[in-house]
Amino acid sequence: MSYNIAIDGPAGAGKSTIAKKVAKDKGFIYVDTGAMYRAMALFMLEKKIDLNDEKAIAEMCKSADISIKYEDGVQCVYLNGVNVNDKIRTPEVSAAASKTSVVAEVRQKLVELQQELAAHESVVMDGRDICTKVLPNADVKVFLTASVEVRAERRYKELIEKGMECDLEEIKKDIAERDHRDMTRAESPLVQAKDAELVDSSSMTIDEVVEKIKSLCK
Ligand code: DC
C-alpha cells in the first residue's frame, strides 16, 4: 500500500522545499505537479498558442506527452521526450502555467498522470488541488501558506541566487495576480480542503514546517 502526503498552497509558500525534505526523510518520492503544468505551458509557448484561447489549448494539449522520471533522486520532467527542467522556471513560463492550467482538458490529462504515480508509490505531492481533487484520500493533507510579502521576498532571493535579474515589486504583483487566477478559476481552484491542516510558514523556519508535517504522519 502506498502512503500519500498531499500539500497544497499558493506560489512561493515553500511547498517544494518542504515537500522535498519530508520526502527524503520518509524515503518517499517527491512529485512536483507544478512542474507538469509548467511543461505544458512551455509546450503552448513553443507552439505559439494564444494563451487566452482555451479551445486551442485544449486541442493542442493532446499532442503534449508529459512524463516524469527520477534521475539521482531528482524529478525530471520530460516534454515529448526532452528533459525540460532547465526551461520551466522562468517568469514567462510561471505566468503561462497559471493561464494554461485553467483549461479542463489540461487538468484532466495531468491529474490522471499524478493519480497513477501516487497509486504505485508512496509520495509527497504538492500543487494546488492535491488535497481536494487529485488525492482526496491522502493519509496527510496540508494547506501551506504565507503572506504575499514573505512569498515575494523568497522568490526574489531564489531568482537573484540563480543570477536572474528581477524586481521585488514586480514579483509581488505577479504573485498577487497568480493567486487571484489560481483561486478564482472554475476548474479545481486553490482552496484549503476541509480536512487539510493549515500551516502558515510566514514566521516559521523550513525545519519547523518539516517537523510540523512529520508530526502529522501517523
Ligand atoms: O507550483 P508552481 O508555481 O510551479 O505552479 C505553476 C502553476 O501551475 C500555478 O500558477 C498553478 C498551476 N498549478 C495547478 O493549477 N495545479 C497544480 N496542482 C499545480 C500547479
Side-chain angles (χ1 to χ4, degrees), residues 10-13 144-154 172 175 179 199-203:
L144 182 63
T145 190
S147 69
V148 173
E149 285 71 24
V150 168
R151 289 188 282 132
E153 272 163 28
R154 287 177 184 162
K172 212 182 276 181
I175 284 189
D179 281 359
V199 179
D200 185 334
S201 72
S202 301
S203 54

Side-chain angles (χ1 to χ4, degrees), residues 3 17 31 38 40 75-76 99 112 120-121 138 145 147 149 163-164 172 175 177 188 193 197 200-201 209-210 214:
Y3 190 95
T17 308
V31 185
R38 285 170 181 271
M40 186 63 92
Q75 173 182 286
C76 299
K99 287 185 181 167
E112 271 171 26
H120 296 105
E121 305 273 1
T145 190
S147 69
E149 285 71 24
M164 287 171 152
K172 212 182 276 181
I175 284 189
E177 269 174 24
S188 308
E197 177 91 7
D200 185 334
S201 72
V209 179
V210 170
K214 275 162 60 184

Side-chain angles (χ1 to χ4, degrees), residues 8-12 15 32-35 37-38 89 93-95 97-99 101-102 107 114 126-130 134 155 178 182 185 188:
D8 285 327
K15 297 187 299 294
D32 171 3
T33 63
Y37 287 94
R38 285 170 181 271
R89 300 285 161 200
V93 174
S94 298
S98 178
K99 287 185 181 167
S101 62
V102 305
R107 304 205 68 82
Q114 293 152 15
D126 74 3
R128 303 294 190 287
D129 58 343
I130 312 305
V134 182
R155 235 336 103 88
R178 276 219 281 159
D182 294 347
R185 67 182 179 216
S188 308

Side-chain angles (χ1 to χ4, degrees), residues 28-155:
F28 293 179
I29 282 176
Y30 164 54
V31 185
D32 171 3
T33 63
M36 300 178 189
Y37 287 94
R38 285 170 181 271
M40 186 63 92
L42 178 68
F43 181 65
M44 299 300 161
L45 289 170
E46 284 177 353
K47 295 289 175 195
K48 304 214 176 337
I49 299 293
D50 174 358
L51 299 182
N52 297 310
D53 186 344
E54 294 195 11
K55 263 196 180 160
I57 293 172
E59 188 53 37
M60 189 51 89
C61 87
K62 292 178 194 160
S63 320
D65 176 27
I66 291 172
S67 60
I68 297 285
K69 286 182 194 152
Y70 292 86
E71 293 166 12
D72 295 329
V74 175
Q75 173 182 286
C76 299
V77 187
Y78 280 77
L79 170 61
N80 294 333
V82 178
N83 180 339
V84 290
N85 271 20
D86 290 344
K87 291 188 177 170
I88 57 174
R89 300 285 161 200
T90 65
E92 188 192 16
V93 174
S94 298
S98 178
K99 287 185 181 167
T100 53
S101 62
V102 305
V103 179
E105 286 79 357
V106 167
R107 304 205 68 82
Q108 197 183 337
K109 183 163 181 157
L110 297 183
V111 166
E112 271 171 26
L113 178 62
Q114 293 152 15
Q115 287 174 333
E116 206 172 298
L117 272 167
H120 296 105
E121 305 273 1
S122 288
V123 297
V124 182
M125 187 178 283
D126 74 3
R128 303 294 190 287
D129 58 343
I130 312 305
C131 301
T132 51
K133 169 98 190 207
V134 182
L135 305 175
N137 298 318
D139 300 276
V140 172
K141 293 182 173 186
V142 174
F143 189 82
L144 182 63
T145 190
S147 69
V148 173
E149 285 71 24
V150 168
R151 289 188 282 132
E153 272 163 28
R154 287 177 184 162
R155 235 336 103 88

